[in-house]
Amino acid sequence: MIWTSPRPTTTKLHPKTTSSWRLSPVFAVASPTTSSLCQQVTHSMPPEKLEIFKSLESWVNENVLPLRKPVEKCWQPIQFLPDPSQGTEEFAKEVQDLRQRVLELPDEYFVMLVGNMLTEDALPTYLTVINTLDGVRDETGSSLCPWAIWSRAWAAEENRHGDLLRTYLYLSGRVDMLKVEKTLQYLIGAGMDIETENNPYLGFVYASFQERATSSSHGNMARLAKVGGDPVLANICGIIAADEKRHENAYTRIIEKLLEVDPDATMLAIADMMKKKIIMPMHLMYDGQDPNIFEHFSTVIERQGVYTTYHYAEILEFFITRWKLEKLEGLIDEARRAQDFVCRLPSKIRKLASIKKLESRPVKFSWIFDK
Ligand SMILES: [Fe+2]
Ligand SMILES: [Fe+2]
């Protein structure tokens, strides 16, 4: 795999042992080295397990596909944006109102909003990764397999998030769109390395966690926008957070079902992803200037309380309860050890978070005109 940006670091990617939990920016690790990307594990799910996913197709039809929202009932970005079809003057006034509303929001808010927008807009990468997963991938691009129907509908819903945030940012005049667009191109070109190994057990654990994390982050951005004087932006972040919640529900149900039909493998998958840590999907981003932009961004969202190590611990705790992990019985020894590791992890993460020192030095972001 060719990997050109950001510049490779010498930091080792993902500690593999349970005892080496390393404190780093919010669910972030340093960008992977070229050699670590070359060591990627593939197709770790035994082929005989494909049958499980085949046998769950009717269950997906009945329990996951209803979580799609019909297109006619979905909101669309234009409903929250100045409408150019209503005449030049009215349109100009709505743009002016928008620019007025965002005046009181600090630059750091826009750093975070750009980060959230980039996370949404790197959607091509996520659909690519979902379609690497054995047993659930879209084999044709229009497959009628329920797993594939869900993935396409999910992507179509997600696509509105980036569109809306990007247009809002563009109209706000507060960010350097050229730098933002460049970062997006770098990001999609780099992809992401979340170590899901073509394995749907790992992939769905990642998706459950990530959907809840984005819902939490958009929700916190909504709260800050409201306090900062822009109720429309608060509403936008809120409706995106609500979509993420529904998506979280879908992926969470899938893991719940897998725990029922294959508890050992599913418990091991949850522990495996937690050992690797759930990395932000934009961990390979680069803006053409700052080789540590991801770490700098992670520090800002942690400092502003939009996404912190404590949130990470809370999300894990939520899933431990939601999936009743502490109550799982009859597991094989290895899965029991995994269960023990996962159930003890939140308090370990909290302890580490309490001694963590955040970088307080302000960092300049190209996205905000090097301010
Ligand atoms: Fe989204
Ligand atoms: Fe989502």
Side-chain angles (χ1 to χ4, degrees):
M1 185 182 211
I2 296 164
W3 186 75
T4 51
S5 61
R7 277 203 301 275
T9 68
T10 51
T11 316
K12 188 174 176 293
L13 180 70
H14 307 312
K16 289 280 182 190
T17 59
T18 57
S19 58
S20 61
W21 181 273
R22 192 161 54 89
L23 198 61
S24 49
V26 187
F27 66 140
V29 291
S31 306
T33 60
T34 309
S35 61
S36 67
L37 286 178
C38 291
Q39 291 160 10
Q40 291 170 330
V41 177
T42 54
H43 304 286
S44 62
M45 182 176 78
E48 59 271 20
K49 299 249 184 215
L50 286 173
E51 203 40 55
I52 292 180
F53 290 87
K54 186 86 199 137
S55 71
L56 286 178
E57 286 185 358
S58 59
W59 177 86
V60 173
N61 264 327
E62 282 158 34
N63 295 279
V64 178
L65 294 191
L67 291 172
R68 291 171 299 170
K69 205 166 183 178
V71 175
E72 297 304 328
K73 288 191 175 163
C74 276
W75 57 264
Q76 297 299 334
I78 191 64
Q79 295 171 270
F80 299 88
L81 294 165
D83 183 355
S85 70
Q86 53 178 338
T88 315
E89 258 173 51
E90 187 54 33
F91 177 63
K93 189 186 171 307
E94 286 192 4
V95 173
Q96 210 172 5
D97 290 348
L98 185 157
R99 293 170 72 109
Q100 198 65 34
R101 284 195 308 269
V102 298
L103 279 181
E104 296 301 312
L105 291 167
D107 285 338
E108 283 211 328
Y109 184 89
F110 281 92
V111 169
M112 299 188 291
L113 199 60
V114 168
N116 278 4
M117 181 280 266
L118 292 169
T119 304
E120 297 292 345
D121 252 4
L123 183 60
T125 300
Y126 316 142
L127 198 54
T128 300
V129 171
I130 286 173
N131 283 326
T132 65
L133 301 177
D134 294 332
V136 299
R137 73 171 56 88
D138 187 336
E139 298 280 358
T140 64
S142 57
S143 161
L144 294 177
C145 157
W147 294 106
I149 291 173
W150 164 259
S151 298
R152 289 196 304 272
W154 167 84
E157 287 191 14
E158 286 286 347
N159 193 50
R160 299 167 305 143
H161 301 172
D163 278 359
L164 176 51
L165 290 177
R166 184 164 23 79
T167 312
Y168 206 88
L169 281 165
Y170 161 72
L171 292 172
S172 78
R174 293 287 302 273
V175 300
D176 186 336
M177 283 309 288
L178 182 63
K179 300 289 166 47
V180 171
E181 287 165 348
K182 210 184 252 192
T183 311
L184 181 62
Q185 188 173 353
Y186 272 120
L187 176 60
I188 295 175
M192 66 177 182
D193 180 29
I194 54 170
E195 297 188 276
T196 43
E197 307 171 2
N198 311 100
N199 182 325
Y201 291 83
L202 300 179
F204 290 135
V205 170
Y206 181 88
S208 303
F209 202 103
Q210 190 52 37
E211 291 287 1
R212 191 164 178 85
T214 47
S215 175
S216 163
S217 161
H218 286 302
N220 288 330
M221 290 295 281
R223 192 174 37 78
L224 292 177
K226 200 171 174 191
V227 174
D230 189 344
V232 178
L233 183 53
N235 197 13
I236 286 172
C237 295
I239 49 151
I240 295 176
D243 274 357
E244 312 295 16
K245 260 254 145 347
R246 191 159 38 78
H247 297 161
E248 171 205 318
N249 196 3
Y251 293 115
T252 307
R253 277 189 197 180
I254 294 171
I255 292 296
E256 186 183 32
K257 185 67 181 171
L258 288 172
L259 279 164
E260 184 191 312
V261 298
D262 191 4
D264 291 319
T266 312
M267 190 61 244
L268 287 167
I270 296 168
D272 188 22
M273 285 315 291
M274 296 320 300
K275 283 173 197 167
K276 290 166 174 169
K277 292 198 269 184
I278 306 291
I279 314 163
M280 271 188 188
M282 62 200 296
H283 67 125
L284 297 179
M285 76 171 159
Y286 182 53
D287 63 346
Q289 285 181 216
D290 179 1
N292 299 314
I293 191 163
F294 177 65
E295 284 73 16
H296 292 148
F297 168 75
S298 302
T299 305
V300 172
I301 53 170
E302 179 127 35
R303 200 166 51 209
Q304 293 291 324
V306 164
Y307 196 80
T308 68
T309 310
Y310 290 104
H311 288 117
Y312 190 95
E314 271 168 25
I315 291 170
L316 177 57
E317 243 158 20
F318 169 85
F319 285 125
I320 290 170
T321 308
R322 173 70 177 73
W323 292 326
K324 303 183 179 71
L325 297 185
E326 280 168 325
K327 294 185 181 132
L328 283 183
E329 284 176 3
L331 296 172
I332 58 168
D333 283 354
E334 198 190 352
R336 227 181 28 237
R337 283 194 294 277
Q339 176 188 33
D340 195 47
F341 164 72
V342 170
C343 294
R344 285 169 193 259
L345 195 52
S347 62
K348 218 164 152 185
I349 297 171
R350 280 213 171 82
K351 224 174 271 170
L352 285 166
S354 68
I355 54 166
K356 181 179 180 179
K357 284 200 174 47
L358 277 182
E359 177 69 68
S360 55
R361 198 165 34 96
V363 178
K364 292 182 168 71
F365 283 85
S366 66
W367 306 334
I368 316 291
F369 305 97
D370 289 317
K371 277 196 277 177

